[in-house]
Amino acid sequence: MVGRLGRYGLGTAPLGGLFAAVSEEQAEQALAAAWQAGIRYFDTAPHYGSGLAEERLGRFLRGLPEAAAEAVVSTKVGRVLVPGRGEEEGFPGRTDFVRVRDYSRDGVLRSLDDSLHRTGLDHFDLVFIHDPDDHWEQAAGQAYPALAELRDQGVIGAIGAGMNQAEMLTRFVRETDLDAVLVAGRYTLLDRSAADQLLPECERRGVAVVAGGVFNSGILAGGTTYDYDAAPPAVLERARELDRICASHGVPLPAAALRFPHRHPAVTTVLIGARSAEEIAEDLALAAADIPDGLWEDLNHAG
């Protein structure tokens, strides 16, 4: 399955309304643009808009006869949605669900059942344990065995863990039998910490690496947010320095940010996060930009 992810995939957090609401029409157009451009891997999660991203992705794929054979879909477990007045958690627009952390066996089974219902799909190709930062014992002791059993039964295609840190992902790779990891924001032009242990460990063990958050939530694409919050002054200045280096080679900073993760042999796929058809086109054009070797040398020299 992991061999079918492709060089680039679409992360659907923006289509769930990350930072700002996205209309149904805009979301559908973005998904259609990604599909027409050849993207076949789509990553989603209950967390993204309290199920909104899953609903929109499922509705789109069900409308494509060829999707059943061609699409690769990953979702996540670890947050169960419960009806009630919840917090936005970065996704304004839908607050009629409360996100409850649950990495138990029952929580995993419930989460997957809810995700299948929301998407209308009959299976998921890949399921990630989502952000278990403070829940190692339950995630490794209950969520992982539950997913491994479902994988062995053929109910799901593959299993992984997805986090915004590299340390616990490395522990998962060493102590469990994962097929893939999704590392967000930790192998970028601004933060290469995943290269210390995680990426070499994945390469040794044949674990696919999906790189997400390659713009560090916006700062490497002209924004001012870093790791989903306002960027500190030192990080803003570091991004400006990277931009100056890229500009000296005639390369847009976002183009280098999109291409950088693929320079490591462990990285299988880079996730693009976009909220419109225009952003899809722009990101794929950036990904195809010509980048001279001298730029990578200067970026490496700059640390």
Side-chain angles (χ1 to χ4, degrees):
M1 186 287 309
V2 293
R4 297 174 52 219
L5 295 178
R7 188 171 175 82
Y8 292 98
L10 182 67
T12 62
L15 302 185
L18 180 62
F19 300 137
V22 172
S23 70
E24 291 288 337
E25 181 182 13
Q26 185 175 331
E28 184 176 358
Q29 290 173 350
L31 289 165
W35 187 270
Q36 290 166 7
I39 289 176
R40 293 295 181 267
Y41 171 45
F42 300 86
D43 175 69
T44 190
H47 179 53
Y48 303 156
S50 292
L52 185 59
E54 288 186 319
E55 292 173 6
R56 288 173 165 175
L57 176 61
R59 190 157 47 244
F60 172 75
L61 293 177
R62 294 196 310 273
L64 293 177
E66 64 271 33
E70 298 181 23
V72 177
V73 179
S74 61
T75 193
K76 305 182 181 71
V77 296
R79 291 177 175 90
V80 176
L81 302 181
V82 178
R85 186 67 181 175
E87 298 180 0
E88 291 183 357
E89 295 194 34
F91 293 88
R94 176 180 277 191
T95 56
D96 51 346
F97 287 96
V98 178
R99 298 169 174 86
V100 179
R101 295 275 187 164
D102 192 342
Y103 298 89
S104 69
R105 175 183 175 84
D106 288 346
V108 165
L109 297 178
R110 175 178 175 179
S111 180
L112 281 175
D113 187 61
D114 289 347
S115 292
L116 288 169
H117 178 74
R118 279 189 292 267
T119 60
L121 302 176
D122 59 9
H123 77 287
F124 291 109
D125 301 285
L126 173 59
V127 178
F128 291 108
I129 303 170
H130 197 190
D131 294 340
D133 301 74
D134 300 318
H135 304 271
W136 166 261
E137 295 301 329
Q138 192 178 55
Q142 294 192 46
Y144 166 73
L147 291 176
E149 183 179 332
L150 294 175
R151 178 183 59 185
D152 291 344
Q153 295 170 350
V155 176
I156 60 177
I159 58 178
M163 305 181 71
N164 292 280
Q165 60 153 294
E167 293 79 11
M168 190 179 287
L169 285 179
T170 304
R171 187 176 180 185
F172 267 111
V173 171
R174 288 173 174 164
E175 299 185 25
T176 70
D177 182 24
L178 296 186
D179 301 293
V181 296
L182 197 172
V183 56
R186 303 286 77 87
Y187 192 60
T188 73
L189 289 176
L190 277 173
D191 186 334
R192 306 185 186 189
S193 56
D196 295 338
Q197 297 185 49
L198 177 62
L199 299 188
E201 198 70 28
C202 288
E203 189 176 10
R204 280 193 294 269
R205 296 174 181 264
V207 175
V209 176
V210 178
V214 297
F215 296 141
N216 282 116
S217 79
I219 193 169
L220 292 177
T224 58
T225 52
Y226 176 75
D227 283 359
Y228 312 105
D229 206 345
V235 176
L236 284 170
E237 179 52 38
R238 178 65 178 146
R240 293 190 189 103
E241 179 185 358
L242 294 173
D243 190 34
R244 288 192 290 269
I245 294 172
C246 289
S248 70
H249 289 269
V251 175
L253 175 59
L258 271 171
R259 292 278 288 282
F260 169 73
H262 275 302
R263 291 181 60 77
H264 197 289
V267 175
T268 301
T269 302
V270 169
L271 285 180
I272 295 172
R275 63 180 60 246
S276 68
E278 291 76 18
E279 287 187 7
I280 294 286
E282 180 181 353
D283 285 347
L284 291 177
L286 290 169
D290 183 35
I291 298 182
D293 290 338
L295 172 57
W296 301 123
E297 294 171 4
D298 287 351
L299 290 172
N300 287 333
H301 181 72

